[in-house]
Amino acid sequence: MGPLQVMKFGGTSVGDASCIARAAEIVTQAARKNACVVVVSAMSGVTNRLIEAARHAQAGNAAQAAAILDALTKQHEVALTSLVFNDADRARIRQRMEEVMAEGRRLCEGTALLRELTPRTLDVISSLGERLSSPLVASAIKGLGTMSKAIEATELIVTDAFHGSAEPQMGVTREKSQTRLRPLLEKGIVPVATGFIGATAEGQLTTLGRGGSDYSATILGAALDAEEVIIWTDVDGVLTADPRLVPEARTIPVISYREAAELAYFGAKVLHPKTLNPVVQAAIPVWIRNSFAPERPGTKITVEGRSMGGGVKALTAIRDVTLISVGGPGIVGLPDVVGRTFSTTAEVRASVLLISQSSSQNDICFIVSTADAQRTVEALRKEFAQDLAHHNVEHITTDPNIAIVAVVGENMRGIPGIAGRTFSALGREGVNLIAIAQGSSESNISFVIEEKTVKTALMTTHREFGLDAAPS
Ligand code: ADP
Ligand code: ASP
Ligand code: MG
């Protein structure tokens, strides 16, 4: 068995039959030289549709939920028909897909009946897309003459029970993945695992959070001591900014774990925020490459990325975020407000993206993703109910019309004036700054602005630091 590669294909890279065929070709080429474990996302858009179906069911609209599931069944059937020509294989996969869909139908019917959608049920419904795409990808690989088998990651990745954002337990995951996958790899079989999902030790299905297939790939990469992890997507690599917002963004050839993690954490959708956690310690390199242009080299994320170039490397923005502020003059006398605020955010597992507090301690502002905002505010109102009643805490307010922009580059430390240049450039363009934060690592300067000024802020900063021109 040669060195092991874990390869992940995102939603657009398995978006239809021709994309799946292209992905299968990439795997087949790689499998000639290496042992390969493949991780797949759902076909693009499918997870969104499944969640939509679950929401219809929750509202009691069983028929609308069923209509979505029917449309998804047809979509996968079309892909199956154009990918798999062997009758026996086709019948076997069709039956498997029917079983998965039947589970989805039953869950949507039950949900519609009760008008209640538990996080646990939502996880199972959201998982259907990966459980449908993995048999398709495995059969496409088989069609090109390489043995392959679809595997549900509930058999591989063991997580805690935090539905919707579960965390892997690496020790057991390592044991399970090795026991299940090693024998296949030794026989030259390419396992095609479902991304995005895992299961608790008791076997209850969980999901790792939206976009979590990237995380699945590095979890498996670490668990199997892979030589490298390759994330195949629809862009050439990690770019200097989101190409949808900054058309002149360029591909970065090499980037450090820390820089890539900052970008992912601050909204660069190309990587799930936790993607690099599992691989940093073992220094397993992660590549981001374009499945539509596999001849291009892509971006390599490594430890050495650190010594490359200097100054600002890339920009990113998070838009679906909400500013929450807890305060009022009364909080000056309450020494535990900060502690209680952030124990509350931790309890509801809202990840806090940025914190700012004025020295007079009148007001604590912090930012969470908009999806977490409502439950965070509800939990805070509960925690501070007494203080609000006695006006020690005067307000807990939210502002959803904001965005965070982050300027990232590991070697920014020691280069004076980056913050100054950023803020004067923004000032010239009339972008109003609401809050500013710089981590002590100095590999990130982030600022909060009004959402409507994001594009201007990104374009201005990109130009200011010559990211469109200089090689990094
Ligand atoms: P996949 O389905 O392969 O997981 P995603 O849509 O989740 O792909 O992520 C890829 C997308 O991330 C790109 O199409 C691009 O629009 C977006 N993106 C945002 N910021 C960046 C960046 N800095 N570099 C590259 N892509 C980025
Ligand atoms: N299919 C899942 C999602 O859309 C996971 C992923 O694509 O990474 O969130
Ligand atoms: Mg993704």
Side-chain angles (χ1 to χ4, degrees):
M1 210 172 79
L4 175 71
Q5 278 184 341
V6 174
M7 291 197 169
K8 175 255 173 177
F9 292 88
T12 38
S13 300
V14 294
D16 60 23
S18 63
C19 297
I20 293 178
R22 207 175 292 118
E25 184 60 47
I26 292 173
V27 174
T28 310
Q29 297 273 351
R32 292 206 181 104
K33 287 177 261 155
N34 298 297
C36 284
V37 170
V38 174
V39 174
V40 289
S41 288
M43 293 171 84
S44 96
V46 169
T47 313
N48 285 346
R49 296 289 281 154
L50 288 166
I51 293 171
E52 217 180 296
R55 297 286 173 209
H56 280 306
Q58 182 182 25
N61 298 324
Q64 269 163 302
I68 293 177
L69 295 184
D70 286 346
L72 292 176
T73 307
K74 285 208 190 81
Q75 179 184 344
H76 287 85
E77 176 63 34
V78 168
L80 175 65
T81 315
S82 39
L83 280 170
V84 183
F85 302 107
N86 174 312
D87 283 343
D89 274 355
R90 199 190 276 182
R92 186 177 46 80
I93 298 168
R94 184 174 292 132
Q95 193 193 336
R96 179 68 202 129
M97 296 206 311
E98 270 164 19
E99 284 161 14
V100 172
M101 272 319 207
E103 191 179 337
R105 282 203 188 84
R106 276 198 306 276
L107 287 170
C108 283
E109 281 160 16
T111 301
L113 215 58
L114 297 168
R115 300 202 180 199
E116 188 191 8
L117 180 63
T118 62
R120 180 170 161 162
T121 303
L122 179 60
D123 265 0
V124 181
I125 297 174
S126 327
S127 77
L128 302 178
E130 273 72 10
R131 295 164 62 203
L132 293 168
S133 65
S134 60
L136 284 175
V137 174
S139 65
I141 296 170
K142 240 171 111 185
L144 296 177
T146 302
M147 289 185 289
S148 180
K149 183 172 171 53
I151 307 271
E152 299 204 347
T154 43
E155 292 188 58
L156 309 173
I157 297 178
V158 183
T159 71
D160 63 13
F162 201 96
H163 288 283
S165 175
E167 272 300 317
Q169 292 165 351
M170 286 310 287
V172 249
T173 296
R174 192 180 167 86
E175 225 174 274
K176 270 198 123 162
S177 307
Q178 297 214 1
T179 312
R180 183 73 179 97
L181 300 180
R182 275 266 158 80
L184 298 176
L185 293 169
E186 271 154 20
K187 287 187 213 135
I189 299 171
V190 174
V192 180
T194 54
F196 184 46
I197 67 182
T200 61
E202 294 73 38
Q204 180 60 47
L205 187 144
T206 53
T207 65
L208 306 173
R210 294 305 308 273
S213 296
D214 301 326
Y215 196 22
S216 307
T218 51
I219 291 169
L220 290 177
L224 298 167
D225 300 320
E227 180 98 341
E228 56 188 14
V229 174
I230 306 177
I231 294 180
W232 292 96
T233 183
D234 61 354
V235 282
D236 285 350
V238 177
L239 273 66
T240 49
D242 184 344
R244 282 175 296 195
L245 294 170
V246 182
E248 51 286 8
R250 285 177 313 99
T251 307
I252 303 168
V254 186
I255 188 168
S256 71
Y257 288 120
R258 184 196 286 276
E259 289 165 331
E262 294 275 7
L263 287 172
Y265 186 69
F266 282 97
K269 195 187 169 213
V270 66
L271 284 176
H272 180 275
K274 296 177 192 159
T275 308
L276 298 167
N277 297 355
V279 290
V280 169
Q281 204 183 359
I284 300 169
V286 177
W287 290 86
I288 312 295
R289 298 185 61 185
N290 191 341
S291 72
F292 298 87
E295 70 288 354
R296 299 195 190 141
T299 296
K300 187 179 192 185
I301 307 173
T302 63
V303 187
E304 301 90 64
R306 193 181 302 164
S307 56
M308 304 285 297
V312 176
K313 199 151 226 181
L315 312 175
T316 181
I318 327 186
R319 298 211 270 190
D320 293 327
V321 287
T322 293
L323 183 82
I324 298 179
S325 117
V326 176
I331 73 167
V332 179
L334 296 175
D336 57 349
V337 175
V338 176
R340 284 163 65 201
T341 299
F342 295 112
S343 330
T344 308
T345 58
E347 252 161 52
V348 295
R349 228 184 247 203
S351 91
V352 176
L353 296 159
L354 188 146
I355 302 171
S356 153
Q357 185 190 14
S358 64
S359 59
S360 65
Q361 231 194 42
N362 266 349
D363 209 57
I364 303 158
C365 320
F366 61 94
I367 294 181
V368 297
S369 90
T370 297
D372 295 343
Q374 196 189 342
R375 71 168 196 277
T376 307
V377 168
E378 279 165 11
L380 285 168
R381 294 225 161 98
K382 216 152 131 204
E383 169 65 32
F384 290 108
Q386 292 283 342
D387 309 87
L388 285 163
H390 296 121
H391 300 285
N392 293 330
V393 172
E394 253 147 50
H395 64 258
I396 297 177
T397 51
T398 60
D399 180 356
N401 300 315
I402 54 123
I404 306 177
V405 170
V407 177
V408 172
E410 192 147 25
N411 293 319
M412 293 194 314
R413 77 183 91 193
I415 302 179
I418 289 183
R421 272 174 74 189
T422 308
F423 301 139
S424 347
L426 293 173
R428 275 197 307 275
E429 297 295 327
V431 174
N432 185 28
L433 292 169
I434 299 168
I436 299 168
Q438 173 171 331
S440 58
S441 72
E442 288 186 52
S443 53
N444 171 339
I445 298 169
S446 31
F447 47 93
V448 182
I449 55 178
E450 289 166 83
E451 200 194 349
K452 58 177 196 260
T453 59
V454 165
K455 197 171 159 105
T456 313
L458 286 173
M459 302 274 280
T460 305
T461 318
H462 203 262
R463 218 173 304 121
E464 176 66 30
F465 292 104
L467 294 179
D468 42 352
S472 63

